[in-house]
């Protein structure tokens, strides 16, 4: 990939902004009982042969599909586990993934792998152990995916507002989740604004930065007459993060969770393959709100900007086109 973003770059718009490097509050940890590892010679094996209730590991097999982490299936006499390792990043990234998976799992709506343990590796880097799900031969039923995703959005609510208890990553880009009571401000600053600052820092792209900031300050009218509740979002829902189990039930994985406007979940729809049956089933549970079509490209913009920052100039024109269209529509 071109233009990787360092995970050490975590500016904040507030001094009280949560850090990705801190542990979750105790009350949150009680609601999301994911173990944090002690450091041993092989903490993965140690957990599987103790808390994982296995007496022997019979096979370790590589699992493909990821470009950031190394993934393996551990087969044991107590079942199979899915393990991801990263040799260069500490456990903060997997802490955020575990908290997101736990939050989605606890809604008991759409299927996600249950996380069990995360922690540091003795040689450096980190790991996470989670439930192994045997995937089926297809991505599953589109209408069932839409219905269960809507049920997750309807069930997963937050009394803290918009954001999440830790910052996390979208791909390998930091994603800031400072709590806010104002969705329009949150999306303008923590989503669009952050990506625009990355673009000017990495590429010196003052044009996209200046026009993008004009747009970010002008998006309020797009939300007129809309009631926005903080819904639990997967946050990075594209075809690579959608599958189905052996029974054909939809499964979603590799989240970038936060609580936000439910429509923001469709920001990766340009590479998710959502069809008409998906949206029909979704809107039966979560009714479409006024102005949905006018906001759709606004939510695509965040992900186009992120792809521009991660992969380079091939995505710039898509982001710039959306910005220019909205500046014209909003006369900003």
């Amino acid at each position: 990939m071109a233009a990787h973003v360092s995970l050490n770059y975590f500016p904040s718009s507030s001094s009280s902004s949560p850090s990705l490097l801190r542990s979750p509050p105790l009350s949150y940890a009680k609601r999301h009982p994911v173990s944090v590892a002690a450091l041993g010679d092989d903490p993965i094996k140690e957990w599987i042969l103790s808390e994982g209730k296995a007496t022997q590991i019979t096979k370790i097999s590589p699992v493909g599909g990821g470009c950031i982490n190394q993934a393996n299936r551990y087969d044991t006499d107590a079942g199979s586990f899915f393990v991801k390792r990263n040799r260069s990043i500490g456990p903060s990234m997997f802490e955020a993934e575990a908290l997101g998976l736990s939050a989605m799992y606890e809604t008991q709506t759409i299927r996600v792998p249950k996380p069990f343990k995360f922690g540091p590796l003795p040689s450096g880097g980190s790991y996470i152990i989670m439930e192994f799900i045997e995937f089926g031969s297809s991505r599953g039923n589109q209408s069932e995916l839409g219905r269960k995703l809507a049920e997750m959005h309807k069930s997963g609510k937050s009394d803290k507002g918009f954001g999440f208890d830790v910052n996390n990553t979208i791909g390998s880009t930091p994603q800031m989740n400072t709590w806010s009571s104002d969705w329009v401000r949150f999306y303008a600053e923590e989503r669009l604004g952050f990506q625009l600052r990355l673009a000017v820092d990495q590429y010196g792209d003052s044009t996209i930065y200046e026009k993008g900031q004009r747009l970010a300050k002008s998006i309020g009218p797009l939300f007129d007459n809309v009631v926005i509740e903080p819904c639990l979002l997967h946050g990075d829902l594209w075809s690579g993060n959608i599958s189905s189990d052996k029974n054909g039930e939809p499964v979603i994985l590799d989240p970038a969770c936060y609580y936000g406007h439910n429509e923001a979940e469709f920001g990766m729809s340009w590479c998710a393959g959502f069809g008409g049956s998906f949206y029909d089933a979704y809107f039966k549970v979560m009714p479409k709100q006024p102005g949905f079509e006018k906001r759709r490209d606004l939510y695509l913009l965040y992900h186009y900007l992120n792809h521009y920052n991660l992969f380079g100039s091939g995505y710039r024109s898509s982001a710039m086109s959306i910005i220019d269209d909205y500046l014209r529509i909003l006369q900003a």
Side-chain angles (χ1 to χ4, degrees), residues 187 192 208 211-212 215 222 267 270 294-305 315-330:
Y187 190 72
L192 299 182
I208 202 167
K211 286 189 171 186
L215 172 60
L222 295 171
W270 48 282
K294 293 180 182 178
R295 291 183 295 273
R296 180 177 292 190
D297 284 357
L298 187 69
Y299 290 132
L300 302 185
L301 177 58
Y302 172 57
H303 294 278
Y304 276 125
L305 287 170
Y315 292 92
R316 185 185 186 276
S317 62
S318 295
M320 198 72 246
S321 176
I322 292 173
I323 291 171
D324 285 337
D325 284 347
Y326 274 115
L327 290 176
R328 186 180 66 257
I329 292 167
L330 296 168

Side-chain angles (χ1 to χ4, degrees), residues 1-261:
M1 292 187 295
H4 285 296
V5 180
S6 168
L7 284 170
N8 295 320
Y9 178 29
F10 271 77
S12 172
S13 59
S14 167
S15 60
S16 63
S17 169
S19 167
L20 182 61
L21 302 178
R22 67 163 176 79
S23 296
L26 182 60
S27 61
Y28 194 83
K30 286 180 178 177
R31 295 199 307 274
H32 299 264
V34 181
S35 299
V36 181
L39 204 58
D41 289 340
D42 188 344
I44 298 169
K45 181 178 179 181
E46 287 175 12
W47 185 89
I48 289 174
L49 296 177
S50 56
E51 294 176 68
K53 303 191 182 336
T55 62
Q56 60 177 326
I57 296 170
T58 56
K59 188 178 181 182
I60 302 174
S61 310
V63 178
C67 59
I68 297 174
N69 307 300
Q70 176 191 348
N72 291 95
R73 171 180 176 171
Y74 280 63
D75 293 316
T76 79
D77 57 351
S80 297
F81 299 92
F82 182 67
V83 177
K84 291 199 292 188
R85 294 181 184 83
N86 190 294
R87 298 292 183 184
S88 59
I89 299 174
S92 55
M93 179 178 71
F94 288 140
E95 174 193 20
E97 180 174 0
L99 291 174
L101 287 170
S102 291
M104 293 192 298
Y105 184 87
E106 288 185 359
T107 67
Q108 293 297 293
T109 52
I110 194 165
R111 189 171 185 190
V112 299
K114 182 179 181 179
F116 297 123
K117 189 137 190 162
F118 65 90
L121 290 167
S123 57
S126 56
Y127 71 91
I128 184 171
I129 304 171
M130 65 184 77
E131 173 190 8
F132 181 85
I133 297 176
E134 191 83 55
F135 292 147
S137 58
S138 72
R139 288 178 58 219
N141 183 284
Q142 281 271 306
S143 60
E144 190 72 356
L145 174 63
R147 181 179 68 82
K148 292 202 167 186
L149 183 67
E151 288 173 353
M152 185 183 84
H153 290 167
K154 191 172 185 178
S155 173
K157 301 296 185 182
S158 167
D159 58 6
K160 297 180 180 180
F162 304 98
F164 202 56
D165 274 319
V166 294
N167 299 322
N168 48 25
T169 55
I170 181 80
S172 60
T173 308
Q175 180 169 262
M176 311 307 289
N177 294 317
T178 307
W179 289 109
S180 174
S181 61
D182 184 338
W183 169 251
V184 175
R185 187 215 64 80
F186 178 88
Y187 190 72
E189 295 181 8
E190 306 291 4
R191 293 295 176 263
L192 299 182
F194 187 83
Q195 293 287 344
L196 292 166
R197 288 192 296 274
L198 285 183
V200 77
D201 288 349
Q202 288 193 109
Y203 306 126
D205 194 338
S206 59
T207 300
I208 202 167
Y209 175 79
E210 291 167 4
K211 286 189 171 186
Q213 288 288 11
R214 278 169 51 202
L215 172 60
K217 294 172 183 176
S218 307
I219 62 175
L222 295 171
F223 296 89
D224 287 346
N225 304 313
V226 179
V227 177
I228 305 173
E229 292 185 301
C231 299
L232 178 62
L233 307 182
H234 175 282
D236 190 18
L237 203 60
W238 67 288
S239 58
N241 292 339
I242 302 168
S243 190
S244 65
D245 64 18
K246 290 190 297 183
N247 298 319
E249 292 295 310
V251 179
I252 56 176
L253 30 129
D254 290 341
C257 285
Y258 65 98
Y259 291 90
H261 187 198

